[in-house]
Amino acid sequence: MMSAQLQQPSQNGTQPSTSGNSPSGANAPLGAIQSDLPDPEPLRNRAGYSKSPYVRAHSDSLVAWQLLDDHAVNRAKKENKLIFLSIGFLASHYCHLTRQESFSNPLVASLLNENFVPILIDREERPDIDNIYMSYNQSLSGSGGWPLNVFLTPELEPVFSGTYWAAPQSDVATENGGAEKPLDWLVVIKRVLTAWETEESRVRDEAKKMVVELSHISAEGTLNREEVEDLRAAPPSTQPDSTAEVVDYSGEVYGEVDLDQIETAYQRITTTFDPMYGGFGVKEKFLTPAKLSLLLRATRFPRVVRDVIGPNDCTYISEMGLHTLRRIVNGAVHDHIGGGFHRFSVTRDWSLPVFEKMLIDNALLLGLFLDGWLLSGGDMDGEFANVVTEVADYIISDRMLSPKGGFYTSEAADSYNRKGDTVKGNGAYYLWTRKEFDTVVGDEQESETAAAYWNVREHGNVDREYDPHDEFLNQNVLHFVKNSARLSKQLGISENEVKQRIESARAKLRSYREKERVQPEIDTKIVTSYNGMAIAALTRTGMALIHTGSETSERGQRYLEVAKNAAQFIKQELWDDKEKVLYRVYSDGRTDIEAFAEDYAFLIEGLIELYQGTAEESWLEWADELQTLQIKLFYDGLTPTPTMVNARCGAFYSTVLGAPYTLLRIKDAMDTSQPSINAVSVSNLFRLGGLLGDKKYTYLAKESVNAFGVEMLEHPNLFPGLLCAVIPWRLGGRHWISVGENSAVLKGFFRTPRASLFTLRYHNPEMTHSWLSTRDRRTSEFRAERGVYTPRAAGTGTTLDDHGFIQVDPHHPATQL
């Protein structure tokens, strides 16, 4: 969920940035105009000047694309033209389709070039811009998607928006008999243009009102304070006010959100659960990693929480999550041949995916499947074991991992079916006709078995309901419909023989696909936040495998090494240690885009995992440094009184104060396809607070949860990530200190599924002058003898024995969790 404060132009801040990439740094005021900038005549396509692969792909477009910078915005103001803003990403099928169908249309291009200032944005570079206008689009239609196309006033206020519009057409009838043309590009452009030319004053007034309405719609995270209406003018500077009042961080944060909200959230989530196919709802199915994570944790929460929820309910809730993971694995969102997962399914039964493959989805799913595997026993021949290694192998393959060590962003949905083709097809790399399938597999028995296993049919397996334009005619998307036991009975052969045939067919299909088909285009951007997700997931996976047994130890070491290399790449290429600036994007070199709050959050999370996995203090030191910066740049609590840009309620804004070209300052707390910024940030604060004995971090974590108290009380099911943070707020976390070599005991720590907060801190009694010993004032009280224990006052604590990692519930000391 997003909350916002209206951005006010600075009166005496820094001068506008001339960079089209930087959302911070220069912090250009929105309304600034440099009238002496020369305008190109006529408008020419500038997409080739961008470092974004998505934007550069439009460099040969008939539309004269501009970058979002002073040059383009000032031209719109000077010529009094609406801005046409299109936001998308390289992997998206509909972004590709729009570029192919509509932006290549001469009439569409002519209308946009002559009457608007067309600006193109990569949403993965500028999530701040995307969030603002997606919120607007959802307020109009109740839905979202990409490409997101928005018409704006020269002051960037939204006038009209939509996602995918049909290509220009003249002879397509509507459902009501053809009396009116469908809403295609020409219809939209002409209507918007007519409104601007004939009723500009009304259009401007409505746009201004909509910005105010958006600020109210997005007010979450600013409501839980006293004297809400006492909003004073923003300070002139775009930097936080240094006169902030002193806070007693040893005090408690009081709020109404409690453990009961977890129970309520589970009740509401259960009502939307699909017991047949897993997931939520009865239409398209999304991966919803944060929601699934909350379900999986139910049986591993502290006993106090389980008593509130009900022990039997906890088992059912956890099984909901496991059932959904099984359906995801069996479904077509899973690439059964090459590994990895697609974004979501357009069908209830997971049988037809949206074909783009994203790093973020696979990194988040890796963490889920790791928890599912560990919950199921954590044996290498157990449920989800193969999925965990398959997803991790995909992430570290050359499709996702750059030679320099960072992770790429995505693989495109569209590709050429065969070498020499001139037109890309949606999902072409993953589709099979029955004839091609049989030819590639070769062996008739193998083909028969594999076709029955993956539902490969003579006339294709895509329901016509989901293929109105015959895009998938006679094509098959592989998905599991019969297990080996059923096929064994059906075919009269052993189950082992069934498995051998399927694996043989899989190997042949993969070899053919890699040799004969053109692989989808890779978006080679390296994004800090996405890399942070991958670092965290690979580190956890690596450590779990290292502590599973000798056969998997080498594989786990490989995952851990890749995670460390990725973190080192981010530090070397996207972190300016001298200026203390973190950057968001590397694309043929570092871009000028400075990091957003999400980049700090996910990178810090990855670094904490690296420290706990490697005991290398440098990762924790960097995480601490980044956390201090994230608070300084994004935290809502640095001014002594509420203002129009700081509500002073706690929690993190997504952007820095005064970020250019942003109408609203947003707080993100509702988990969607990725965990929210505030959910991850709160977790980081609690963990760092425990690792470093830092009361300020712990206080800010509680304050951040409380900032969304009003919304969480009303709709707790929308905040699964923050709900997990209610537990350490109310019950405290579990923190362990390891002194000396304790691999036998720590095995349990690294093979424990995620539940409530617990951390692992390493202590070397001989390193009295290390950074960590200096940073943490408690160090002198820690024990010096070898072992793993949970600290108590004056050096006392509960020691773990060598039989395993026993987590003792402080509220029920005799209970093993």
Side-chain angles (χ1 to χ4, degrees), residues 524-771:
T524 56
K525 290 194 313 294
I526 297 173
V527 179
T528 298
S529 61
Y530 305 166
N531 276 252
M533 298 180 201
I535 291 166
L538 286 172
T539 301
R540 284 192 61 215
T541 303
M543 295 307 298
L545 292 177
I546 289 170
H547 288 85
T548 295
S550 58
E551 295 181 1
T552 61
S553 180
E554 184 176 346
R555 199 169 202 164
Q557 290 286 358
R558 170 64 176 152
Y559 297 155
L560 182 61
E561 193 64 28
V562 172
K564 289 170 63 176
N565 290 341
Q568 191 58 48
F569 172 86
I570 299 297
K571 191 169 189 178
Q572 179 177 331
E573 300 294 341
L574 292 172
W575 168 244
D576 187 332
D577 188 53
K578 181 179 179 181
E579 299 296 330
K580 304 302 179 185
V581 176
L582 181 66
Y583 291 87
R584 176 171 174 82
V585 177
Y586 182 97
S587 183
D588 294 330
R590 190 181 75 191
T591 72
D592 295 329
I593 304 173
E594 294 183 18
F596 298 98
E598 74 167 51
D599 297 296
Y600 284 87
F602 288 107
L603 179 56
I604 290 168
E605 182 181 44
L607 296 176
I608 293 173
E609 295 293 350
L610 273 179
Y611 166 72
Q612 293 190 151
T614 66
E616 295 174 12
E617 192 175 294
S618 60
W619 299 123
L620 186 60
E621 182 178 1
W622 191 27
D624 183 42
E625 184 174 23
L626 291 174
Q627 187 61 78
T628 300
L629 272 175
Q630 189 196 26
I631 294 169
K632 176 183 177 182
L633 295 172
F634 303 98
Y635 196 75
D636 179 21
L638 302 179
T639 54
T641 55
T643 71
M644 290 295 289
V645 288
N646 274 68
R648 205 182 186 285
C649 294
F652 293 88
Y653 286 109
S654 301
T655 56
V656 296
L657 208 164
Y661 317 118
T662 55
L663 294 174
L664 304 172
R665 203 171 184 215
I666 289 172
K667 288 182 184 177
D668 169 32
M670 188 179 76
D671 305 288
T672 55
S673 60
Q674 70 180 49
S676 73
I677 294 167
N678 276 284
V680 177
S681 297
V682 164
S683 174
N684 293 340
L685 287 169
F686 272 127
R687 295 173 76 185
L688 288 173
L691 287 166
L692 301 174
D694 193 313
K695 293 181 180 179
K696 176 180 178 180
Y697 285 166
T698 301
Y699 183 94
L700 294 183
K702 297 175 181 179
E703 187 176 63
S704 295
V705 178
N706 195 48
F708 297 94
V710 172
E711 298 82 7
M712 293 176 69
L713 288 170
E714 187 172 358
H715 303 290
N717 53 301
L718 301 181
F719 302 86
L722 282 182
L723 283 177
C724 293
V726 174
I727 298 172
W729 179 10
R730 297 305 185 187
L731 303 181
R734 288 167 289 185
H735 308 287
W736 305 97
I737 309 292
S738 176
V739 182
E741 202 286 320
N742 297 289
S743 58
V745 181
L746 293 181
K747 174 181 178 179
F749 177 87
F750 293 113
R751 288 177 49 79
T752 299
R754 280 290 182 261
S756 54
L757 178 74
F758 61 97
T759 63
L760 177 62
R761 159 76 187 277
Y762 297 93
H763 174 56
N764 186 342
E766 298 179 359
M767 301 289 289
T768 57
H769 300 293
S770 68
W771 169 83

Side-chain angles (χ1 to χ4, degrees), residues 333-364:
V333 289
H334 181 197
D335 180 1
H336 293 263
I337 302 304
F341 290 84
H342 304 292
R343 279 186 65 218
F344 66 90
S345 174
V346 299
T347 59
R348 176 189 177 189
D349 62 356
W350 305 95
S351 62
L352 181 62
V354 170
F355 286 98
E356 48 257 37
K357 279 182 171 181
M358 316 295 290
L359 172 63
I360 56 173
D361 295 324
N362 284 278
L364 294 171

Side-chain angles (χ1 to χ4, degrees), residues 81-338:
K81 289 182 177 179
L82 287 176
I83 291 171
F84 170 68
L85 180 68
S86 186
I87 305 172
F89 60 105
L90 187 68
S92 168
H93 165 64
Y94 283 101
C95 290
H96 169 78
L97 198 62
T98 299
R99 175 161 58 98
Q100 180 177 277
E101 290 179 343
S102 301
F103 293 152
S104 63
N105 182 282
L107 188 52
V108 169
S110 177
L111 282 170
L112 289 176
N113 295 341
E114 293 174 11
N115 301 285
F116 302 87
V117 176
I119 296 176
L120 189 64
I121 287 181
D122 184 336
R123 69 173 295 263
E124 294 162 339
E125 286 191 334
R126 293 301 302 267
D128 58 329
I129 302 293
D130 180 56
N131 285 341
I132 291 169
Y133 295 118
M134 185 60 73
S135 179
Y136 167 73
N137 187 77
Q138 290 171 336
S139 73
L140 294 184
S141 64
S143 62
W146 295 275
L148 174 60
N149 300 299
V150 194
F151 293 91
L152 310 171
T153 68
E155 290 70 40
L156 305 182
E157 299 155 338
V159 172
F160 182 73
S161 71
T163 53
Y164 175 76
W165 292 315
Q169 48 197 305
S170 57
D171 56 355
V172 179
T174 58
E175 295 180 359
N176 63 4
E180 184 180 350
K181 289 183 179 180
L183 193 65
D184 67 27
W185 274 91
L186 293 181
V187 172
V188 171
I189 294 172
K190 290 178 179 178
R191 287 181 181 177
V192 172
L193 181 59
T194 298
W196 181 251
E197 291 179 338
T198 60
E199 300 179 90
E200 178 185 333
S201 179
R202 179 186 64 82
V203 170
R204 284 183 176 276
D205 287 343
E206 290 183 357
K208 291 182 185 300
K209 291 177 182 177
M210 177 51 68
V211 173
V212 175
E213 180 64 23
L214 276 177
S215 71
H216 294 159
I217 293 172
S218 303
E220 290 81 7
T222 65
L223 302 177
N224 203 19
R225 68 164 184 266
E226 297 179 0
E227 300 178 2
V228 175
E229 301 302 325
D230 182 24
L231 293 182
R232 306 183 183 184
S237 172
T238 58
Q239 297 303 314
D241 190 344
S242 60
T243 63
E245 62 194 50
V246 177
V247 178
D248 179 13
Y249 294 116
S250 64
E252 186 52 75
V253 175
Y254 298 97
E256 296 183 50
V257 176
D258 211 330
L259 302 179
D260 291 339
Q261 275 63 62
I262 300 177
E263 178 190 20
T264 304
Y266 279 140
Q267 291 173 349
R268 295 185 184 179
I269 290 172
T270 300
T271 62
T272 64
F273 178 68
D274 183 348
M276 180 174 291
Y277 296 110
F280 307 95
V282 292
K283 294 183 179 180
E284 66 268 16
K285 291 289 176 65
F286 296 90
L287 302 175
T288 60
K291 188 182 295 185
L292 291 176
S293 180
L294 182 66
L295 299 182
L296 294 176
R297 294 169 188 244
T299 58
R300 296 303 180 102
F301 278 145
R303 177 61 62 86
V304 172
V305 182
R306 285 181 281 149
D307 287 344
V308 171
I309 300 167
N312 293 333
D313 289 337
C314 287
T315 301
Y316 174 72
I317 290 165
S318 182
E319 184 56 35
M320 286 166 52
L322 292 171
H323 177 63
T324 300
L325 291 183
R326 295 182 190 113
R327 301 302 302 210
I328 290 173
V329 171
N330 295 339
V333 289
H334 181 197
D335 180 1
H336 293 263
I337 302 304

